[in-house]
Amino acid sequence: MSPSPARTVDVRGPRFAAWVTSAVLAVVLLTASGWLAAAQAVVFAVGAAAGLRSAPYAVLFRTLVAPRLGPAREREPEAPVRFAQFVGFASTAVGAAGYLLGVPVLGALATGLALVAALLNAATGLCLGCELYLTVRRARPVRTA
């Protein structure tokens, strides 16, 4: 039995999600809202755990934006993007905890890091979480049969 082909995503989807995420995280920083940070952490968790087809911003992209853009001309593997969703989850969960537990400096720092990564992805297409995924994959020892 051959392994199933790797899932791929339209490269425009993660960039759209990064723009939405950037807006949400900017509001979190401006308002110090731990609950909004927690909501964004849940969005990341869904993408990381259930896959990008289930991620809320991916659903928005697929139903509202993609039909107006036409067919995807470029696709990328889903695995690095899902890993990036996990990294985003970890950062925003720490941010939410900081704000909700009365440690606003921790909340702002963790949220600010997530915002920088999201803005970088949105503006340039460079996904720091995806790059981290590739670095970790290269660092793992190669298994021989």
Side-chain angles (χ1 to χ4, degrees):
M1 184 172 356
S2 65
S4 63
R7 285 185 145 176
T8 62
V9 295
D10 180 343
V11 296
R12 302 170 299 180
R15 284 189 78 178
F16 169 81
W19 279 115
V20 176
T21 299
S22 296
V24 170
L25 294 176
V27 172
V28 169
L29 282 176
L30 291 171
T31 63
S33 173
W35 293 111
L36 185 55
Q40 179 59 53
V42 169
V43 168
F44 280 134
V46 170
L52 298 182
R53 290 213 40 90
S54 302
Y57 301 156
V59 172
L60 280 176
F61 175 79
R62 195 170 54 253
T63 58
L64 300 177
V65 179
R68 290 166 175 74
L69 298 177
R73 285 184 246 138
E74 189 178 348
R75 300 187 69 79
E76 65 185 339
E78 182 186 47
V81 183
R82 281 182 75 173
F83 182 82
Q85 294 284 298
F86 174 75
V87 173
F89 162 74
S91 182
T92 55
V94 169
Y99 286 125
L100 294 172
L101 296 174
V103 189
V105 171
L106 176 62
L109 181 61
T111 302
L113 290 172
L115 175 58
V116 167
L119 276 173
L120 186 63
N121 189 357
T124 69
L126 177 62
C127 173
L128 293 178
C130 300
E131 293 299 321
L132 180 59
Y133 172 86
L134 296 172
T135 300
V136 169
R137 291 277 313 235
R138 281 187 220 109
R140 287 185 5 204
V142 177
R143 283 199 254 173
T144 57

